Amino acid sequence: MNSKFDYNKFLKKKSCAIFLFHGVVDKKNLGIKNYTGKHIHINKFKKILKNLKNKGQAISMDDIITLKKNKIDFPDNSYAVTFDDGYYNNYKLAAPILSELNIPATFYITTDFITNNSMSWIDMIEDSINKFNLRQEILYKKFKSQSLISKKDKIRFLNFLRKEIKTDNKIDPYKEVLNIAKNNKLILNKSLNNIFDKKMTWGNLNKISNDKKFIVGGHGKTHRILSYLNSKDVKNEIENSINLIKKKLSIDVNHFSYPEGLNFCYGKREISILKKKGIKCSPSAIHGVNKIEENLFNLKRIFCR
């Protein structure tokens, strides 16, 4: 089996592999757009799901809660499908395939993205740098480059930027990219309607939430790293997200996933707030497969790209 489709290797006895997707597209990458591969081509997505279905047993995030509550082991080779952020391609391309294959899925949405069709800070700067073709040095901290014309230099800058911003709790990422754009005369779009950037509408999500196979959960209000926020802001980031989903979709919200989701992105404070808001399960983005003993607020996931 081609290794790029071989997610079956994560299927284990009495274990559950939770797969983390972001997007599914039917277009080729343009320049460095989607260079990290978080949006998977539709043909690859179909192949991955069909391979998983042939060997594994699909379960929902609700099933995981039930099994954990009743202290029942995960079925052999079980897996769950999840999506983060709320891209329109989840609704347009991924959901129909999941329905056809009768595979349940959970969609964790960032509510500001949905309400405003807005982009994350990294998608904004990635789009801007993709279109940047002036032969001039980019001005940002210690980064050095003669120009950002070559694909290699653009990717090197974006990787540097990702690391700088995501590992510094003093940086507001949205303000930071606005300053980078201003200082370097970049055009920074906050909202786009292409297949890589467009977000679902509340109408799209209403249709998804009415399908018994699908669950809608929270993923923050603005996608900021929760552990970096002060007590007031982290509470607002979580509660505003959950409250708006309840209001817009008229559903109970039992599910959440941490923005970025690595071990430094959340902790006891965030888990306590989530539990008080009725959240029963919040997976991370830490790589791994889960046994039934795993805490529902520390579940591991496997990034698919």
Side-chain angles (χ1 to χ4, degrees):
M1 184 185 295
N2 191 319
S3 61
K4 69 180 180 178
F5 301 132
D6 187 16
Y7 287 93
N8 284 0
K9 64 187 177 185
F10 297 109
L11 302 181
K12 311 287 185 183
K13 289 185 177 181
K14 297 182 179 180
S15 301
C16 182
I18 304 175
F19 294 106
L20 166 56
F21 294 91
H22 284 85
V24 176
V25 295
D26 56 1
K27 305 287 184 183
K28 292 183 179 180
N29 294 354
L30 300 174
I32 61 161
K33 193 80 170 176
N34 192 40
Y35 79 93
T36 61
K38 70 179 180 180
H39 295 278
I40 293 177
H41 193 274
I42 189 170
N43 293 337
K44 181 177 179 179
F45 182 66
K46 288 178 182 177
K47 186 73 173 178
I48 290 169
L49 291 189
K50 287 179 179 178
N51 287 342
L52 289 172
K53 189 175 177 67
N54 285 338
K55 181 180 178 181
Q57 180 172 336
I59 63 175
S60 71
M61 296 305 291
D62 276 342
D63 292 332
I64 289 175
I65 294 172
T66 300
L67 290 167
K68 176 71 175 177
K69 181 180 178 180
N70 293 304
K71 299 180 180 179
I72 300 171
D73 275 331
F74 289 122
D76 289 348
N77 301 327
S78 63
Y79 65 94
V81 172
T82 67
F83 287 81
D84 278 2
D85 296 347
Y87 291 97
Y88 174 71
N89 59 49
N90 296 181
Y91 170 78
K92 178 70 174 179
L93 299 176
I97 296 168
L98 290 159
S99 290
E100 180 184 346
L101 295 173
N102 197 32
I103 295 174
T106 298
F107 301 87
Y108 299 106
I109 61 168
T110 300
T111 48
D112 271 11
F113 293 176
I114 304 302
T115 297
N116 304 314
N117 186 34
S118 57
M119 297 161 66
S120 69
W121 64 269
I122 191 60
D123 284 347
M124 285 193 288
I125 197 68
E126 182 178 301
D127 175 74
S128 182
I129 295 299
N130 186 47
K131 297 171 182 174
F132 184 73
N133 287 309
L134 297 177
R135 192 173 291 279
Q136 66 184 57
E137 184 179 358
I138 195 86
L139 300 175
Y140 185 67
K141 295 189 176 181
K142 297 179 181 179
F143 184 81
K144 295 187 182 301
S145 176
Q146 292 299 314
S147 71
L148 288 186
I149 291 180
S150 76
K151 183 176 179 180
K152 182 179 179 180
D153 277 342
K154 290 180 178 183
I155 291 173
R156 188 164 65 88
F157 171 67
L158 287 170
N159 286 338
F160 177 87
L161 190 65
R162 276 183 158 92
K163 183 177 179 181
E164 286 290 307
I165 292 180
K166 290 184 181 184
T167 57
D168 190 338
N169 62 5
K170 297 180 179 65
I171 295 177
D172 182 309
Y174 291 94
K175 290 180 181 178
E176 192 79 352
V177 295
L178 286 172
N179 286 334
I180 293 169
K182 181 180 178 181
N183 293 337
N184 293 279
K185 298 181 180 179
L186 302 175
I187 297 173
L188 202 66
N189 291 302
K190 296 181 181 180
S191 178
L192 290 170
N193 285 315
N194 62 66
I195 198 66
F196 297 101
D197 295 306
K198 184 178 180 180
K199 303 303 187 299
M200 287 185 275
T201 65
W202 289 111
N204 299 151
L205 285 161
N206 187 60
K207 291 179 181 178
I208 281 179
S209 67
N210 285 330
D211 189 319
K212 292 181 179 179
K213 289 186 296 297
F214 299 145
I215 295 168
V216 176
H219 191 51
K221 180 178 184 292
T222 66
H223 205 276
R224 283 174 168 83
I225 293 175
L226 300 177
S227 62
Y228 287 0
L229 302 176
N230 63 40
S231 296
K232 179 182 177 181
D233 289 344
V234 73
K235 189 174 180 181
N236 287 336
E237 182 76 13
I238 291 171
E239 292 186 351
N240 288 345
S241 167
I242 294 169
N243 290 343
L244 190 58
I245 296 170
K246 288 180 178 179
K247 179 181 177 181
K248 290 289 190 178
L249 303 181
S250 299
I251 61 172
D252 292 329
V253 181
N254 298 317
H255 299 270
F256 192 93
S257 71
Y258 313 105
E260 299 301 336
L262 298 178
N263 55 9
F264 63 87
C265 300
Y266 71 98
K268 292 180 180 179
R269 180 187 64 166
E270 290 72 37
I271 293 171
S272 176
I273 296 169
L274 289 168
K275 286 181 176 179
K276 288 177 181 177
K277 286 300 295 181
I279 299 300
K280 297 178 181 178
C281 178
S282 185
S284 71
I286 299 167
H287 181 83
V289 176
N290 304 284
K291 292 289 189 179
I292 199 64
E293 295 82 14
E294 191 68 70
N295 187 289
L296 290 173
F297 289 82
N298 287 306
L299 295 170
K300 301 176 182 69
R301 290 193 287 175
I302 296 153
F303 196 126
C304 299
R305 65 180 87 200

